[in-house]
Amino acid sequence: MLTISVALAAAAALYLAIEWRSVRETSLLFWSAGFATITVGCVLALLRGSGLLFIGIWFANGLLVVAHGFFLTGVLRFTQDRLSRGWLMIVVVWFALLLLPVGPQWSKVMLMVNSLLVASLTLKASSLLRPHGKSLSVGAVQLRYVLLIHGLFYVAKAGIAITPGTLIDLATFGGLIIQISLVEGAMAIMLIALSMTGTVRYRREERIARLAARDPLTALYNRRALEVRAGHFFKDVSPAQPGALLLIDIDNFKLVNDLHGHIAGDRLLVALSEMIRTVLPERALAARLGGDEFVILLNGASSEQVMELGGLLREQFQQYAGKTVPTPHAVTLSIGVNLFDQPPASLAALIEQGDVALYQSKRSGRDSIRFVERPMADINH
């Protein structure tokens, strides 16, 4: 069984290392290092049959603790958590175990302390994978429970080790608990490795989907992502809960690129996106349609609220642009607003109507807010 564990641990280490080459998730490297350490520990454990008890028992079992330390570190990198310095005491205890004399009378002490160290590291890793206000992926949930069961097994193993009358002989793998431990170890290697891979793959797929939905420069939603989310957004629109679309365009943006360069233009777009995020109410949506054109969808909005939000945006943006990218003509915002109290036929139709209002704002001298429902309204500040 120990030979099988060597093969499984080596395969798991190689498998996770190969996964890392394609995914580049640091957690996989630590998890791979953990299984590589188990491989070395199992190989050294075979030497106890040759009489090398210190290396084959004490040091080999110590490497099991190191391996689970790698597993915990991988989970920490995955969850972006940190441990207190108190956990460094495990290193002190580990070295203290190496100082224990070799002999049958110390086998129970060794097994109990070693099992508690492994259990502490494993149960901590499992607790870090608890959902914090959001659901976990299937792989992360599976990894959490596999580590939980694995840790509880080692707690039980520590308890059995100090039970009177229990046969434990680490030198010859004698005793029922030792045999069960070998079987559990082989099963845990397979389950933990598969769960680790599933956890990271889900995060990678989630990251790819998130990137596909975002504008690469501003990190706001792109038009396609907005269309996907708009359908659900429109379901809540009613006369009692009207919606509003704000179509935003930067006035004289070409002057910024011509006078200050495209990098300065990109910085201005990023600055505007940050301002939009700052003023965006809860449940509202914002996207960059392309170029220097942005859109905001508001729920439960009145014309007064739209004026307040649009006016705040225009004021902040004009101050920022005037200081960072001075031009002969002011760089400002023109906004076309479409208020609606019924779900529209489509987002495209809503944007088209807002575009008409935006064009009217441009024609009337820019730096203004124009409402579709009130064609004569032109509020300048």
Side-chain angles (χ1 to χ4, degrees):
M1 185 57 69
L2 192 60
T3 304
I4 293 175
S5 296
V6 171
L8 289 174
L14 181 61
Y15 176 57
L16 292 171
I18 293 173
E19 279 290 306
W20 173 81
R21 292 192 63 182
S22 60
V23 178
R24 297 294 174 176
E25 175 70 49
T26 311
S27 300
L28 289 172
L29 282 180
F30 285 104
W31 293 336
S32 176
F35 283 115
T37 304
I38 289 177
T39 303
V40 174
C42 289
V43 170
L44 293 179
L46 294 172
L47 298 178
R48 68 185 71 186
S50 303
L52 300 175
L53 299 184
F54 177 80
I55 295 177
I57 299 177
W58 266 230
F59 192 74
N61 279 278
L63 287 182
L64 187 63
V65 178
V66 175
H68 286 78
F70 278 126
F71 291 159
L72 175 57
T73 304
V75 171
L76 287 168
R77 294 303 296 265
F78 181 80
T79 59
Q80 297 182 340
D81 285 308
R82 285 188 172 186
L83 293 180
S84 65
R85 293 185 178 180
W87 284 87
L88 293 176
M89 284 300 299
I90 287 182
V91 178
V92 177
V93 176
W94 184 81
F95 277 107
L97 284 179
L98 297 180
L99 300 177
L100 291 177
V102 176
Q105 68 273 23
W106 292 103
S107 288
K108 287 193 173 187
V109 176
M110 174 67 176
L111 186 62
M112 180 194 69
V113 177
N114 201 78
S115 296
L116 289 177
L117 293 180
V118 172
S120 299
L121 294 167
T122 308
L123 292 175
K124 181 61 178 179
S126 176
S127 69
L128 290 173
L129 289 169
R130 291 197 315 268
H132 301 285
K134 58 182 180 180
S135 60
L136 290 173
S137 68
V138 174
V141 171
Q142 181 177 328
L143 179 58
R144 176 193 171 196
Y145 284 109
V146 169
L147 291 174
L148 176 62
I149 294 171
H150 187 57
L152 292 176
F153 172 81
Y154 271 88
V155 172
K157 186 176 173 180
I160 293 173
I162 58 175
T163 302
T166 304
L167 172 62
I168 296 174
D169 188 350
L170 294 177
T172 62
F173 296 110
L176 181 60
I177 185 61
I178 302 298
Q179 296 300 313
I180 293 176
S181 182
L182 291 174
V183 175
E184 189 275 341
M187 294 176 61
I189 288 171
M190 294 185 293
L191 292 174
I192 292 175
L194 290 174
S195 301
M196 287 172 173
T197 305
T199 300
V200 172
R201 280 183 177 176
Y202 178 86
R203 171 175 282 186
R204 183 192 183 198
E205 292 169 0
E206 190 179 49
R207 186 181 297 142
I208 291 173
R210 187 167 59 248
L211 291 174
R214 298 286 177 175
D215 171 64
L217 178 64
T218 64
L220 292 176
Y221 287 128
N222 55 34
R223 179 161 186 159
R224 182 178 179 182
L226 183 66
E227 289 175 347
V228 170
R229 289 158 178 77
H232 180 73
F233 180 90
F234 292 149
K235 291 179 181 178
D236 296 329
V237 174
S238 66
Q241 191 86 356
L245 176 140
L246 286 73
L247 198 60
I248 304 168
D249 188 82
I250 301 178
D251 304 319
N252 300 313
F253 182 67
K254 187 174 183 299
L255 286 176
V256 176
N257 287 330
D258 291 344
L259 296 176
H260 300 280
H262 289 278
I263 293 179
D266 287 347
R267 288 174 181 164
L268 192 62
L269 294 173
V270 172
L272 177 56
S273 70
E274 292 298 328
M275 294 175 195
I276 290 173
R277 285 191 187 90
T278 302
V279 302
L280 206 64
E282 189 177 354
R283 296 174 60 199
L285 296 175
R288 181 189 177 198
L289 297 184
D292 59 336
E293 197 168 54
F294 296 77
V295 65
I296 296 175
L297 282 175
L298 301 177
N299 200 349
S302 65
S303 57
E304 291 77 13
Q305 290 172 325
V306 170
M307 283 299 306
E308 182 180 355
L309 186 147
L312 181 60
L313 263 181
R314 288 169 53 224
E315 182 182 351
Q316 289 181 355
F317 181 78
Q318 187 171 1
Q319 289 179 359
Y320 178 85
K323 291 179 181 178
T324 58
V325 284
T327 55
H329 302 287
V331 177
T332 55
L333 295 181
S334 288
I335 303 175
V337 180
N338 192 355
L339 294 174
F340 53 100
D341 59 6
Q342 297 293 334
S346 66
L347 176 65
L350 202 64
I351 290 176
E352 186 176 350
Q353 294 172 3
D355 200 41
V356 173
L358 179 62
Y359 178 70
Q360 291 173 348
S361 174
K362 293 281 190 182
R363 282 185 56 186
S364 62
R366 301 184 176 91
D367 187 23
S368 61
I369 301 175
R370 177 77 71 169
F371 284 76
V372 169
E373 66 169 6
R374 295 183 295 169
M376 298 304 294
D378 185 3
I379 298 92
N380 294 281
H381 299 283

